[in-house]
Amino acid sequence: MANASAQLYERAGKVVPAGVNSNTRARSPHPFYFQTADGPWLRDADGRQWLDMVMGNGAVMLGHNHPQVQDAVRQAIDRGMTTGVESALSVEVAELFLDQVPTLDMVRFTNTGTEAVQHALQLARHATGRRRIAKVEGAYHGWSDELFVSVWADVTRAGTVNNITPLAGTTGLRDDVVDDVLVVPFNDLERTEQRIEQAADEIACLLLEPVMIDIGVIEPMPDYLAGLRQLCDRHGIVLLFDELLTGFNVAPGGAQARYGVTPDLATYGKALANGYPLAALAGREDLMRMTEPGKGPAFVGTFNGHAISMAACQATLRVLQDGSVQKTVADRAATLAGQFDGWAKSAGIDAVMTACGSHVHWFFADRSPTDYRSAASVDRAAYAAFNTALEQAGVVTLPNPLSHHAVSLAHDVAALDRLAEAMEAGFAAIAEARANAGA
Ligand SMILES: Cc1ncc(COP(=O)(O)O)c(C=O)c1O
């Protein structure tokens, strides 16, 4: 059988490290190389059709090749604008953005989430005159030095939950930057208060995903976010919600609308432009105005407000504006989660699917995790067996058990039927692996 992906990998491996442009795409025995995408489907270099459950790491909420978004992009290309200047369109997009996020006053666009979060940290430092940031254990917010602290951390080296040791999530980080980050557990208001109160006058900013989606869709406990809001208010700390995955997705106004807690600053990306490269920093007017020239930290970027991304964003936000897409997609994700639980029970396997907005994830554990440590302790062998079976059935998933998957507006009955079949095969594969191991 032809295997163009294997052949491309052989070529790519000579010119591109690991043959991929983002390490999360590395696969054994080789990554996939795709040619086209439409709706929930990808077609690989051999012409084989795959069901996409990664959907641009949660960015492509309307499905690939969405007609309104693609038309808007084509029109933008025809207008001849690219980047490096402002456009009338970028003003319209900012207005449309803030109409849907009425809790925040001003917005600025960047290209990637990493940049947006990095801008927010500089702004928080400038506004408070403090140096350190506090972040949640295990949370991913991008790849820069501070952000990669305690990401996918080895909990056996990370101290106790009362006093989490900050760990570099990758080599190459500056030790002093790593040591400076205060790491707190998700969903644990009491411990977070204790830790922050010990160092409050050094902390510029508390950074978290309001729903911890990046390690597998973990919702906040009641009152947790409101408690963090009060904690930050008591100590003059900037509360920064990373809404890269929740923004425009779990509700038009994002997680802050869903849970009724307004941060000082928030970062966006992903669903914002249905897969075109765009991110944003938004927030309170007094803070955001500090990024104006000469007032505070620099805010610059050649591709900021790029004409193509702005066009994609305008079309996407118009589709998402009335909240009906979010409802359709969330209902679909919730139905899938219910079915998954049924399949798990019939197979006699401890497994749960968590869902929020378009995001879903499957954990092989007897209950839904509530924080990084409980997510990190799931049965990884079961996850690997399940995902291998999915892949054999033509479903694209992520090999890391601490990741997330998504349905989209384009995941119709045919796509979900194909997924159901693959997932049932996945449970059978786990049962078989356990039987072979004599478990
Ligand atoms: C919650 C969250 N924050 C930030 C980022 C970083 O965004 P980007 O990959 O656009 O730099 C990601 C990316 O996966 C993310 O999921």
Side-chain angles (χ1 to χ4, degrees), residues 136 185-190 192-193 206-212 218-234 239-243 246 250 254-264 356:
V136 162
F186 188 67
N187 260 334
D188 190 334
L189 183 59
E190 208 180 308
T192 302
E193 282 174 341
L206 171 59
L207 162 64
L208 75 154
E209 265 194 291
V211 185
M212 236 185 141
I218 303 175
E219 287 214 57
M221 308 266 200
D223 300 332
Y224 169 66
L225 297 176
L228 295 182
R229 177 68 278 177
Q230 287 164 11
L231 174 67
C232 287
D233 286 343
R234 278 202 300 281
L239 179 61
L240 166 56
F241 279 179
D242 179 350
E243 294 236 34
T246 49
V250 303
Q256 55 198 276
R258 180 180 166 106
Y259 301 101
V261 176
T262 304
D264 302 300
C356 188

Side-chain angles (χ1 to χ4, degrees), residues 57 111-115 117 140-143 209 214 242-245 267 270 279 404:
N57 297 338
N111 305 284
T112 67
T114 304
E115 291 166 61
V117 180
Y140 180 76
H141 301 285
W143 50 262
E209 265 194 291
D214 217 45
D242 179 350
E243 294 236 34
L244 258 284
L245 285 160
T267 49
K270 312 258 179 177
H404 54 104

Side-chain angles (χ1 to χ4, degrees), residues 3 12 20 81 89 95 120 199 278 281 292 322 326 329 346 370 379 387 393 396 410-411 420 426:
N3 189 341
V20 290
M81 295 262 305
L89 180 59
E95 287 168 349
L278 185 66
L281 169 64
E292 289 177 350
D322 71 2
Q326 287 90 333
V329 171
S346 318
T370 53
D379 182 340
N387 280 36
V396 180
H411 280 69

